[in-house]
Amino acid sequence: MSSTLSARVQSLGLTLEPAAGPAANYVSKVQVGDLLFISGQVPRRNGEAVFLGRVGDTLSEEEGRQAARQAALCVLAQLADAVGDDLARVARVVRLGVFVACPPDFQRQSTVADGASDLMVDVLGDAGRHARTAVGVASLPRGVAVEVEAIVQIKP
């Protein structure tokens, strides 16, 4: 396995964008002891929000999975920023929270959230296996389809 998060992501044919700053009155990440709490990340490319709309309405379930994957890449960018891109400092992903903008009758939030979960395992192996919550919501910031937050255990 590569020694940096960015190299591991790149080996999968993906790219980490620079970690984004907060969009309002909060911080992007907070460390308490060995736990890193990463604020909700929306799917971005080149600094712009992507995958706008609602899954099961204007976006397909597969597009929702892609949105979750892209938002999870932004979570990994925050993680890389926090650990100096040192993969050895990542003990495990403890929990992901995945919020899916969707109509009230959409019931496949967990399938959409698999886009984020699968990426964590692809990048981090067993350390990427985590507890998870996937919920449907009426809308999300910037009109995106998915938002992902994380709790990650890190090493000194």
Side-chain angles (χ1 to χ4, degrees):
M1 191 176 274
S2 303
S3 63
T4 65
L5 277 162
S6 57
R8 181 68 185 130
V9 167
Q10 188 174 20
S11 75
L12 298 172
L14 303 169
T15 304
L16 282 184
E17 292 203 17
N25 188 17
Y26 63 93
V27 293
S28 300
K29 53 194 164 292
V30 172
Q31 184 174 343
V32 178
D34 65 347
L35 294 178
L36 180 69
F37 295 79
I38 300 173
S39 295
Q41 301 294 303
V42 300
R44 290 181 306 108
R45 281 197 193 110
N46 301 318
E48 297 293 323
V50 294
F51 294 103
L52 306 179
R54 296 191 321 158
V55 180
D57 183 11
T58 58
L59 296 174
S60 70
E61 187 176 309
E62 179 55 32
E63 289 170 315
R65 284 177 60 92
Q66 292 172 16
R69 182 179 178 97
Q70 192 66 35
L73 271 173
C74 295
V75 166
L76 289 173
Q78 293 292 341
L79 177 58
D81 184 61
V83 300
D85 203 22
D86 184 356
L87 188 57
R89 291 196 55 210
V90 180
R92 82 166 303 142
V93 177
V94 176
R95 179 184 178 277
L96 289 184
V98 182
F99 303 90
V100 181
C102 59
D105 62 344
F106 185 78
Q107 299 178 2
R108 299 194 37 92
Q109 291 86 355
S110 61
T111 302
V112 170
D114 282 344
S117 293
D118 292 348
L119 180 68
M120 293 299 162
V121 174
D122 290 346
V123 172
L124 300 169
D126 283 340
R129 297 195 184 285
H130 52 272
R132 182 182 80 189
T133 302
V135 297
V137 297
S139 66
L140 288 167
R142 300 183 188 172
V144 298
V146 177
E147 182 173 350
V148 178
E149 64 179 10
I151 302 170
V152 181
Q153 182 182 22
I154 58 175
K155 301 172 190 174

